[in-house]
Amino acid sequence: MTVKILAFCGSARRASLNGKLLEIAAAGARKEGAEITFIALADYPLPIYDADVESTNGVPEQARALQKLFASHDALLVASPEHNGGYTALLKNTIDWVSRPTATGSPGLTLFSGKVAAVISASPGPMGGIRAMLGMRGVLEKLGAIVIPQGFSLGSAHQAFAESGGLADEKADAEVRRVGLGLVGVTKQLITS
């Protein structure tokens, strides 16, 4: 059985440190046989979630496309940058729209409920975005996702990457890959039970 993982980053920057970290974690999942779909949230522009906008205009087509992606994957791999001590507005807004009722009328919460998720974070600061990572874990758990205990926050991230794309610190690189590996392992257990 192939585990399908949807991987995305809460940063719209092309050279995002979190995007680089996401690649490493995904490599760990891929080594365990997972199929990874990377998406850039900037490719799905959405208005700031507002119930009045939704009631007037409905759920935007970009949110519908994201809902289909969430529905077709077994697990989520999320890289959460830290802005002023929290996760990004881009990441939260995306989740808010995806959680809205689907085109068939089923609750959007079912796109998260029971789905396995892992959260990682990178920051130039010494704490590595751990506050954003913990906050995002809380949001996903509130939506019913099963967030695995493995996570990783990378401090001084602007100095941590080797030219090869991996982390210069081999132990840290291996730990990030174990997040992806753990995500696949827990997902397989849930799917087959």
Side-chain angles (χ1 to χ4, degrees):
M1 168 198 50
T2 301
V3 171
K4 295 179 69 177
I5 297 174
L6 185 63
F8 54 96
C9 173
S11 174
R13 289 182 58 224
R14 286 185 297 273
S16 165
L17 297 169
N18 280 273
K20 292 178 182 181
L21 194 65
L22 187 67
E23 291 278 353
I24 297 169
R30 197 176 290 114
K31 188 174 181 182
E32 284 296 297
E35 178 184 312
I36 314 291
T37 302
F38 287 94
I39 59 169
L41 298 184
D43 293 339
Y44 299 87
L46 294 165
I48 296 296
Y49 178 74
D50 179 330
D52 289 340
V53 170
E54 181 184 6
S55 65
T56 302
N57 303 318
V59 174
E61 286 306 310
Q62 298 288 14
R64 292 286 185 226
L66 285 166
Q67 287 178 326
K68 289 177 185 174
L69 281 167
F70 273 65
S72 66
H73 288 80
D74 306 308
L76 306 173
L77 180 56
V78 184
S80 179
E82 185 172 286
H83 288 183
N84 298 319
Y87 42 76
T88 64
L90 173 63
L91 191 52
K92 182 64 166 66
N93 192 53
T94 299
I95 289 171
D96 288 346
W97 275 114
V98 171
S99 71
R100 303 311 304 149
T102 68
T104 63
S106 64
L109 295 177
T110 61
L111 300 172
F112 297 91
S113 183
K115 193 160 286 196
V116 184
V119 185
I120 57 174
S121 185
S123 171
M127 293 179 63
I130 196 163
R131 291 174 294 219
M133 185 178 80
L134 294 174
M136 184 48 49
R137 287 178 62 90
V139 169
L140 292 169
E141 288 169 351
K142 166 70 173 82
L143 295 172
I146 300 163
V147 183
I148 65 170
Q150 296 97 329
F152 187 86
S153 62
L154 178 67
S156 301
H158 61 297
Q159 301 169 335
F161 291 91
E163 287 185 26
S164 65
L167 294 178
D169 181 331
E170 291 180 11
K171 288 182 181 177
D173 192 88
E175 192 174 336
V176 177
R177 291 172 194 273
R178 279 194 293 274
V179 173
L181 188 148
L183 180 60
V184 174
V186 172
T187 305
K188 281 183 178 178
Q189 288 176 3
L190 287 174
I191 290 174
T192 59
S193 62

